[in-house]
Amino acid sequence: MTRITDVQARTVSIALDDPTSFSNRQVLKRDYSLVRVTGDDGISGIGFCYAGSNAGEVVTRAVRDLLKPVLLGQDTHRVEGLWQEMYQEGLLHGRTGSVMRALSILDVALWERNARAANLPLHRFLGATDEESVAAYASGGYYLDGKTPQKLADEMTGYVDQGFKAVKMKVGREDLAGEEARLAAVREAIGPDVLLMMDANNAWRDLPTALAFMRMAEPYSPYWIEEPFSPDDIDNHRRLAERTPIPVATGEIEAGRWRFKELLDKEAAMILQTDAAVCGGITEFRRIAATAASYGVDICPHWFHDLHVHLVGSTPNAPYVEFFADDKVLNFRKLIDTQLSFRDGRLMLPQTPGLGFGFDEAALDRYATGPWG
């Protein structure tokens, strides 16, 4: 039996090279909370999450002050039991948000540590569905000052030229005419056979506004509309899903299997975008994916391709990884020592133990708000 001897956490904050806009907000920097869990065999595992644009230390403090005492001295392989004990410990502090993110990254670190100890890549340790690679879509299309529809189309074409057969762009910031100009330019540039995802980032507050956008977008054959409303507005997700042929996708900041079951029961989404660094870790991700499979619903996880490549590679109803080709938006890429490789629109599954990468300690020292602790 291997016992947990140390749990450490650290916050890093990285400014974006260019201020980047969504439908209704702008991001200037990103905070990440990082953890490292070590067993008495000397093997460590890592976990990480996006901790917001400010106050990322809240997640790190939840690790150090609330959940670390639950883990110390425990069997590293008692993952399910430790999940339940961490969940119970955090119950009064937050069943979603920062506390659940703290639980999530500790759960990821446990799975990653145990995979390293078994000398297996994480996707194989979890029970692989794919041997060499998984399909990915290239995520981008953000709003930037001076970014014309043609420049957006050039960006999307660049991903297609790299071999990606699916791409995603942001929508919902401009008026209908402006949004149609962007969609039309992209569809013309990438052709009819490339899948085109749309991400609204909670752009709309009411059903008529969303429906007007969807009617405009339908001729451009989008593959899905992502997060059309606030994540708490499940009923409007359901109403929109009933009224448009374009699949509704959501769930990237949802936590816990119960909330996802509500989405499924209400038929509010045809695609769940469960994020293992948000929903409750790998343990909860697997529960959610299995539940979704019984409804005939796919999981296309959000963000962190370095983590989710392993989960898509071990989940039968997970067809795509979201992939960021550079560090302009997902600047977490600056913190790790190995990047994923891709070929013909597919990400190559790591073949080294655990996640297949580690933190770049020099980069952490450059961006950290404080030391490991």
Side-chain angles (χ1 to χ4, degrees):
M1 183 183 298
T2 305
R3 297 289 183 180
I4 299 169
T5 58
D6 195 21
V7 176
Q8 293 191 323
R10 197 175 194 185
T11 307
V12 298
S13 185
I14 314 176
L16 294 181
D17 293 337
D18 298 301
T20 300
S21 296
F22 304 80
S23 60
N24 55 15
R25 63 187 184 275
Q26 188 178 57
V27 176
L28 304 179
K29 69 182 182 71
R30 294 192 183 280
D31 291 353
Y32 299 97
S33 184
L34 317 177
V35 299
R36 189 162 53 204
V37 176
T38 305
D40 60 13
D41 58 359
I43 297 174
S44 299
I46 60 173
F48 44 87
C49 70
Y50 175 44
S53 298
N54 292 292
E57 189 69 22
V58 174
V59 179
T60 304
R61 291 301 299 270
V63 171
R64 291 172 176 166
D65 298 345
L66 185 66
L67 301 179
K68 176 179 178 177
V70 177
L71 298 183
L72 288 176
Q74 296 296 316
D75 179 0
T76 61
H77 289 90
R78 200 171 66 84
V79 180
E80 290 275 356
L82 292 175
W83 190 99
Q84 187 60 39
E85 290 169 21
M86 287 192 290
Y87 180 78
Q88 192 65 37
E89 185 68 16
L91 204 57
L92 299 184
H93 293 275
R95 299 187 301 280
T96 62
S98 295
V99 173
M100 187 60 99
R101 289 181 187 229
L103 185 159
S104 298
I105 59 179
L106 287 168
D107 182 83
V108 169
L110 283 169
W111 281 102
E112 208 261 341
R113 197 222 76 88
N114 293 338
R116 285 183 183 270
N119 200 34
L120 287 172
L122 181 58
H123 63 96
R124 291 190 179 278
F125 186 72
L126 294 170
T129 57
D130 299 272
E131 294 184 0
E132 296 182 355
S133 65
V134 295
Y137 67 86
S139 193
Y142 288 77
Y143 295 93
L144 298 171
D145 289 343
K147 191 173 184 178
T148 64
Q150 185 56 54
K151 289 180 179 178
L152 171 63
D154 291 343
E155 177 192 348
M156 296 291 115
T157 303
Y159 300 140
V160 175
D161 290 344
Q162 293 177 64
F164 290 97
K165 299 173 178 61
V167 298
K168 188 169 82 176
M169 60 180 280
K170 300 297 181 180
V171 298
R173 188 176 184 86
E174 301 185 6
D175 60 21
L176 280 181
E179 292 295 348
E180 183 164 17
R182 297 172 72 250
L183 272 172
V186 170
R187 178 51 78 191
E188 181 179 2
I190 66 176
D193 298 326
V194 175
L195 299 183
L196 176 59
M197 292 85 160
M198 304 184 302
D199 186 359
N201 290 110
N202 326 119
W204 305 301
R205 297 182 180 180
D206 61 87
L207 185 62
T209 302
L211 281 173
F213 179 92
M214 301 308 289
R215 284 193 290 268
M216 176 276 292
E218 284 177 19
Y220 302 101
S221 302
Y223 187 66
W224 73 48
I225 179 66
E226 178 176 337
E227 283 205 309
F229 304 103
S230 163
D232 294 318
D233 194 354
I234 292 178
D235 285 337
N236 258 338
H237 280 85
R238 173 184 56 79
R239 294 184 187 107
L240 182 63
E242 289 173 345
R243 290 165 171 81
T244 177
I246 300 170
V248 173
T250 193
E252 67 181 54
I253 59 174
E254 293 293 3
R257 75 203 84 134
W258 305 277
R259 183 76 160 182
F260 283 95
K261 187 175 185 299
E262 183 179 359
L263 284 167
L264 293 167
D265 285 341
K266 290 186 174 180
E267 299 183 345
M270 293 177 66
I271 296 162
L272 299 182
Q273 296 174 303
T274 315
D275 186 330
V278 174
C279 74
I282 292 171
T283 299
E284 194 73 347
F285 181 97
R286 285 157 65 87
R287 294 170 180 152
I288 293 162
T291 301
S294 69
Y295 285 77
V297 170
D298 281 344
I299 303 281
C300 290
H302 162 260
W303 205 234
F304 286 128
H305 52 248
D306 303 285
L307 166 62
H308 290 125
V309 68
H310 291 276
L311 296 180
V312 170
S314 57
T315 304
N317 59 320
Y320 284 103
V321 178
E322 180 174 21
F323 179 69
F324 293 83
D326 55 43
D327 60 17
K328 292 180 181 178
V329 175
L330 183 59
N331 55 11
F332 175 80
R333 290 173 62 109
K334 296 181 178 182
L335 301 177
I336 61 176
D337 57 16
T338 304
Q339 304 295 332
L340 289 174
S341 59
F342 59 89
R343 185 169 61 245
D344 297 327
R346 298 181 66 85
L347 298 184
M348 309 311 293
L349 285 161
Q351 300 302 319
T352 51
L355 287 166
F357 65 89
F359 294 135
D360 181 336
E361 293 296 334
L364 298 194
D365 290 340
R366 186 179 314 127
Y367 296 113
T369 62
W372 287 103

PDB file of all heavy atoms in Angstrom, residues 120-132 309-311 313-314 349-351 354:
ATOM      1  N   LEU A 120       2.288   3.498 -16.843  1.00  0.00           N
ATOM      2  CA  LEU A 120       1.354   3.501 -17.967  1.00  0.00           C
ATOM      3  C   LEU A 120       0.929   4.922 -18.300  1.00  0.00           C
ATOM      4  O   LEU A 120       0.753   5.751 -17.399  1.00  0.00           O
ATOM      5  CB  LEU A 120       0.096   2.694 -17.628  1.00  0.00           C
ATOM      6  CG  LEU A 120       0.218   1.174 -17.572  1.00  0.00           C
ATOM      7  CD1 LEU A 120      -1.075   0.580 -17.022  1.00  0.00           C
ATOM      8  CD2 LEU A 120       0.528   0.604 -18.953  1.00  0.00           C
ATOM      9  N   PRO A 121       0.732   5.222 -19.588  1.00  0.00           N
ATOM     10  CA  PRO A 121       0.074   6.478 -19.933  1.00  0.00           C
ATOM     11  C   PRO A 121      -1.312   6.515 -19.295  1.00  0.00           C
ATOM     12  O   PRO A 121      -1.961   5.472 -19.138  1.00  0.00           O
ATOM     13  CB  PRO A 121      -0.018   6.425 -21.461  1.00  0.00           C
ATOM     14  CG  PRO A 121       0.964   5.389 -21.887  1.00  0.00           C
ATOM     15  CD  PRO A 121       1.054   4.403 -20.775  1.00  0.00           C
ATOM     16  N   LEU A 122      -1.768   7.692 -18.940  1.00  0.00           N
ATOM     17  CA  LEU A 122      -3.029   7.806 -18.220  1.00  0.00           C
ATOM     18  C   LEU A 122      -4.187   7.170 -18.984  1.00  0.00           C
ATOM     19  O   LEU A 122      -5.038   6.488 -18.395  1.00  0.00           O
ATOM     20  CB  LEU A 122      -3.329   9.284 -17.933  1.00  0.00           C
ATOM     21  CG  LEU A 122      -4.606   9.575 -17.156  1.00  0.00           C
ATOM     22  CD1 LEU A 122      -4.627   8.876 -15.805  1.00  0.00           C
ATOM     23  CD2 LEU A 122      -4.778  11.084 -16.980  1.00  0.00           C
ATOM     24  N   HIS A 123      -4.238   7.359 -20.300  1.00  0.00           N
ATOM     25  CA  HIS A 123      -5.363   6.807 -21.062  1.00  0.00           C
ATOM     26  C   HIS A 123      -5.383   5.289 -21.018  1.00  0.00           C
ATOM     27  O   HIS A 123      -6.456   4.671 -21.017  1.00  0.00           O
ATOM     28  CB  HIS A 123      -5.352   7.317 -22.512  1.00  0.00           C
ATOM     29  CG  HIS A 123      -4.164   6.903 -23.313  1.00  0.00           C
ATOM     30  ND1 HIS A 123      -4.164   5.809 -24.139  1.00  0.00           N
ATOM     31  CD2 HIS A 123      -2.927   7.448 -23.422  1.00  0.00           C
ATOM     32  CE1 HIS A 123      -2.988   5.693 -24.724  1.00  0.00           C
ATOM     33  NE2 HIS A 123      -2.211   6.676 -24.298  1.00  0.00           N
ATOM     34  N   ARG A 124      -4.225   4.652 -20.945  1.00  0.00           N
ATOM     35  CA  ARG A 124      -4.183   3.194 -20.833  1.00  0.00           C
ATOM     36  C   ARG A 124      -4.514   2.743 -19.403  1.00  0.00           C
ATOM     37  O   ARG A 124      -5.178   1.724 -19.205  1.00  0.00           O
ATOM     38  CB  ARG A 124      -2.815   2.671 -21.247  1.00  0.00           C
ATOM     39  CG  ARG A 124      -2.521   2.826 -22.737  1.00  0.00           C
ATOM     40  CD  ARG A 124      -1.264   2.086 -23.147  1.00  0.00           C
ATOM     41  NE  ARG A 124      -1.025   2.220 -24.564  1.00  0.00           N
ATOM     42  CZ  ARG A 124      -1.596   1.487 -25.507  1.00  0.00           C
ATOM     43  NH1 ARG A 124      -2.465   0.548 -25.161  1.00  0.00           N
ATOM     44  NH2 ARG A 124      -1.329   1.688 -26.780  1.00  0.00           N
ATOM     45  N   PHE A 125      -4.052   3.501 -18.433  1.00  0.00           N
ATOM     46  CA  PHE A 125      -4.369   3.179 -17.046  1.00  0.00           C
ATOM     47  C   PHE A 125      -5.880   3.226 -16.811  1.00  0.00           C
ATOM     48  O   PHE A 125      -6.433   2.426 -16.039  1.00  0.00           O
ATOM     49  CB  PHE A 125      -3.654   4.171 -16.133  1.00  0.00           C
ATOM     50  CG  PHE A 125      -3.770   3.874 -14.673  1.00  0.00           C
ATOM     51  CD1 PHE A 125      -3.102   2.805 -14.092  1.00  0.00           C
ATOM     52  CD2 PHE A 125      -4.557   4.681 -13.849  1.00  0.00           C
ATOM     53  CE1 PHE A 125      -3.203   2.529 -12.734  1.00  0.00           C
ATOM     54  CE2 PHE A 125      -4.660   4.418 -12.495  1.00  0.00           C
ATOM     55  CZ  PHE A 125      -3.987   3.336 -11.937  1.00  0.00           C
ATOM     56  N   LEU A 126      -6.575   4.165 -17.507  1.00  0.00           N
ATOM     57  CA  LEU A 126      -8.022   4.308 -17.366  1.00  0.00           C
ATOM     58  C   LEU A 126      -8.797   3.266 -18.168  1.00  0.00           C
ATOM     59  O   LEU A 126      -9.982   3.048 -17.911  1.00  0.00           O
ATOM     60  CB  LEU A 126      -8.448   5.713 -17.812  1.00  0.00           C
ATOM     61  CG  LEU A 126      -7.954   6.869 -16.948  1.00  0.00           C
ATOM     62  CD1 LEU A 126      -8.243   8.200 -17.627  1.00  0.00           C
ATOM     63  CD2 LEU A 126      -8.583   6.831 -15.570  1.00  0.00           C
ATOM     64  N   GLY A 127      -8.150   2.635 -19.134  1.00  0.00           N
ATOM     65  CA  GLY A 127      -8.818   1.670 -20.004  1.00  0.00           C
ATOM     66  C   GLY A 127      -9.034   2.272 -21.377  1.00  0.00           C
ATOM     67  O   GLY A 127     -10.077   2.872 -21.660  1.00  0.00           O
ATOM     68  N   ALA A 128      -8.039   2.155 -22.238  1.00  0.00           N
ATOM     69  CA  ALA A 128      -8.014   2.890 -23.508  1.00  0.00           C
ATOM     70  C   ALA A 128      -9.102   2.428 -24.475  1.00  0.00           C
ATOM     71  O   ALA A 128      -9.447   1.253 -24.543  1.00  0.00           O
ATOM     72  CB  ALA A 128      -6.645   2.741 -24.165  1.00  0.00           C
ATOM     73  N   THR A 129      -9.629   3.383 -25.232  1.00  0.00           N
ATOM     74  CA  THR A 129     -10.475   3.082 -26.387  1.00  0.00           C
ATOM     75  C   THR A 129      -9.704   3.277 -27.684  1.00  0.00           C
ATOM     76  O   THR A 129     -10.069   2.711 -28.707  1.00  0.00           O
ATOM     77  CB  THR A 129     -11.721   3.995 -26.412  1.00  0.00           C
ATOM     78  OG1 THR A 129     -11.298   5.364 -26.419  1.00  0.00           O
ATOM     79  CG2 THR A 129     -12.604   3.750 -25.203  1.00  0.00           C
ATOM     80  N   ASP A 130      -8.668   4.092 -27.643  1.00  0.00           N
ATOM     81  CA  ASP A 130      -7.849   4.381 -28.824  1.00  0.00           C
ATOM     82  C   ASP A 130      -6.388   4.069 -28.500  1.00  0.00           C
ATOM     83  O   ASP A 130      -5.944   4.236 -27.362  1.00  0.00           O
ATOM     84  CB  ASP A 130      -7.977   5.849 -29.231  1.00  0.00           C
ATOM     85  CG  ASP A 130      -9.407   6.223 -29.596  1.00  0.00           C
ATOM     86  OD1 ASP A 130      -9.773   6.063 -30.765  1.00  0.00           O
ATOM     87  OD2 ASP A 130     -10.140   6.670 -28.697  1.00  0.00           O
ATOM     88  N   GLU A 131      -5.651   3.650 -29.509  1.00  0.00           N
ATOM     89  CA  GLU A 131      -4.266   3.250 -29.284  1.00  0.00           C
ATOM     90  C   GLU A 131      -3.254   4.344 -29.592  1.00  0.00           C
ATOM     91  O   GLU A 131      -2.275   4.504 -28.862  1.00  0.00           O
ATOM     92  CB  GLU A 131      -3.942   2.012 -30.129  1.00  0.00           C
ATOM     93  CG  GLU A 131      -4.699   0.759 -29.719  1.00  0.00           C
ATOM     94  CD  GLU A 131      -4.274  -0.449 -30.521  1.00  0.00           C
ATOM     95  OE1 GLU A 131      -3.394  -0.294 -31.397  1.00  0.00           O
ATOM     96  OE2 GLU A 131      -4.820  -1.536 -30.279  1.00  0.00           O
ATOM     97  N   GLU A 132      -3.486   5.092 -30.667  1.00  0.00           N
ATOM     98  CA  GLU A 132      -2.445   6.014 -31.126  1.00  0.00           C
ATOM     99  C   GLU A 132      -2.876   7.475 -31.141  1.00  0.00           C
ATOM    100  O   GLU A 132      -2.062   8.348 -30.832  1.00  0.00           O
ATOM    101  CB  GLU A 132      -1.984   5.611 -32.534  1.00  0.00           C
ATOM    102  CG  GLU A 132      -1.309   4.246 -32.585  1.00  0.00           C
ATOM    103  CD  GLU A 132      -0.818   3.915 -33.984  1.00  0.00           C
ATOM    104  OE1 GLU A 132      -1.092   4.704 -34.921  1.00  0.00           O
ATOM    105  OE2 GLU A 132      -0.164   2.870 -34.143  1.00  0.00           O
ATOM    106  N   VAL A 309      -7.008  14.792 -23.771  1.00  0.00           N
ATOM    107  CA  VAL A 309      -6.636  13.804 -24.784  1.00  0.00           C
ATOM    108  C   VAL A 309      -6.683  12.402 -24.177  1.00  0.00           C
ATOM    109  O   VAL A 309      -7.075  11.434 -24.850  1.00  0.00           O
ATOM    110  CB  VAL A 309      -5.244  14.128 -25.381  1.00  0.00           C
ATOM    111  CG1 VAL A 309      -4.136  13.933 -24.352  1.00  0.00           C
ATOM    112  CG2 VAL A 309      -4.969  13.297 -26.622  1.00  0.00           C
ATOM    113  N   HIS A 310      -6.326  12.285 -22.912  1.00  0.00           N
ATOM    114  CA  HIS A 310      -6.345  10.974 -22.251  1.00  0.00           C
ATOM    115  C   HIS A 310      -7.775  10.513 -21.980  1.00  0.00           C
ATOM    116  O   HIS A 310      -8.074   9.317 -22.083  1.00  0.00           O
ATOM    117  CB  HIS A 310      -5.574  11.047 -20.936  1.00  0.00           C
ATOM    118  CG  HIS A 310      -4.102  11.219 -21.104  1.00  0.00           C
ATOM    119  ND1 HIS A 310      -3.247  10.154 -21.331  1.00  0.00           N
ATOM    120  CD2 HIS A 310      -3.329  12.333 -21.097  1.00  0.00           C
ATOM    121  CE1 HIS A 310      -2.005  10.604 -21.442  1.00  0.00           C
ATOM    122  NE2 HIS A 310      -2.031  11.917 -21.296  1.00  0.00           N
ATOM    123  N   LEU A 311      -8.659  11.448 -21.644  1.00  0.00           N
ATOM    124  CA  LEU A 311     -10.034  11.066 -21.332  1.00  0.00           C
ATOM    125  C   LEU A 311     -10.817  10.738 -22.596  1.00  0.00           C
ATOM    126  O   LEU A 311     -11.620   9.798 -22.614  1.00  0.00           O
ATOM    127  CB  LEU A 311     -10.708  12.174 -20.526  1.00  0.00           C
ATOM    128  CG  LEU A 311     -10.067  12.409 -19.154  1.00  0.00           C
ATOM    129  CD1 LEU A 311     -10.779  13.511 -18.394  1.00  0.00           C
ATOM    130  CD2 LEU A 311     -10.036  11.136 -18.331  1.00  0.00           C
ATOM    131  N   GLY A 313      -9.401   9.533 -25.150  1.00  0.00           N
ATOM    132  CA  GLY A 313      -8.788   8.274 -25.552  1.00  0.00           C
ATOM    133  C   GLY A 313      -9.184   7.085 -24.704  1.00  0.00           C
ATOM    134  O   GLY A 313      -8.734   5.966 -24.956  1.00  0.00           O
ATOM    135  N   SER A 314     -10.044   7.315 -23.694  1.00  0.00           N
ATOM    136  CA  SER A 314     -10.504   6.211 -22.845  1.00  0.00           C
ATOM    137  C   SER A 314     -12.006   6.271 -22.576  1.00  0.00           C
ATOM    138  O   SER A 314     -12.491   5.615 -21.658  1.00  0.00           O
ATOM    139  CB  SER A 314      -9.739   6.225 -21.510  1.00  0.00           C
ATOM    140  OG  SER A 314      -9.888   7.470 -20.845  1.00  0.00           O
ATOM    141  N   LEU A 349      -1.720  10.340 -28.940  1.00  0.00           N
ATOM    142  CA  LEU A 349      -1.812   9.997 -27.533  1.00  0.00           C
ATOM    143  C   LEU A 349      -0.412   9.806 -26.942  1.00  0.00           C
ATOM    144  O   LEU A 349       0.409   9.083 -27.517  1.00  0.00           O
ATOM    145  CB  LEU A 349      -2.623   8.720 -27.350  1.00  0.00           C
ATOM    146  CG  LEU A 349      -4.133   8.872 -27.532  1.00  0.00           C
ATOM    147  CD1 LEU A 349      -4.785   7.519 -27.796  1.00  0.00           C
ATOM    148  CD2 LEU A 349      -4.753   9.536 -26.311  1.00  0.00           C
ATOM    149  N   PRO A 350      -0.105  10.450 -25.815  1.00  0.00           N
ATOM    150  CA  PRO A 350       1.213  10.253 -25.193  1.00  0.00           C
ATOM    151  C   PRO A 350       1.447   8.792 -24.840  1.00  0.00           C
ATOM    152  O   PRO A 350       0.516   8.081 -24.440  1.00  0.00           O
ATOM    153  CB  PRO A 350       1.118  11.115 -23.930  1.00  0.00           C
ATOM    154  CG  PRO A 350       0.090  12.158 -24.245  1.00  0.00           C
ATOM    155  CD  PRO A 350      -0.911  11.455 -25.103  1.00  0.00           C
ATOM    156  N   GLN A 351       2.661   8.353 -24.983  1.00  0.00           N
ATOM    157  CA  GLN A 351       3.005   6.959 -24.702  1.00  0.00           C
ATOM    158  C   GLN A 351       3.926   6.822 -23.488  1.00  0.00           C
ATOM    159  O   GLN A 351       4.376   5.723 -23.185  1.00  0.00           O
ATOM    160  CB  GLN A 351       3.658   6.333 -25.950  1.00  0.00           C
ATOM    161  CG  GLN A 351       2.766   6.336 -27.186  1.00  0.00           C
ATOM    162  CD  GLN A 351       1.444   5.610 -26.973  1.00  0.00           C
ATOM    163  OE1 GLN A 351       1.400   4.552 -26.341  1.00  0.00           O
ATOM    164  NE2 GLN A 351       0.362   6.169 -27.500  1.00  0.00           N
ATOM    165  N   GLY A 354       1.736   8.445 -17.058  1.00  0.00           N
ATOM    166  CA  GLY A 354       0.923   9.547 -16.578  1.00  0.00           C
ATOM    167  C   GLY A 354       0.405  10.419 -17.699  1.00  0.00           C
ATOM    168  O   GLY A 354       0.028   9.935 -18.773  1.00  0.00           O
TER     169      GLY A 354
END
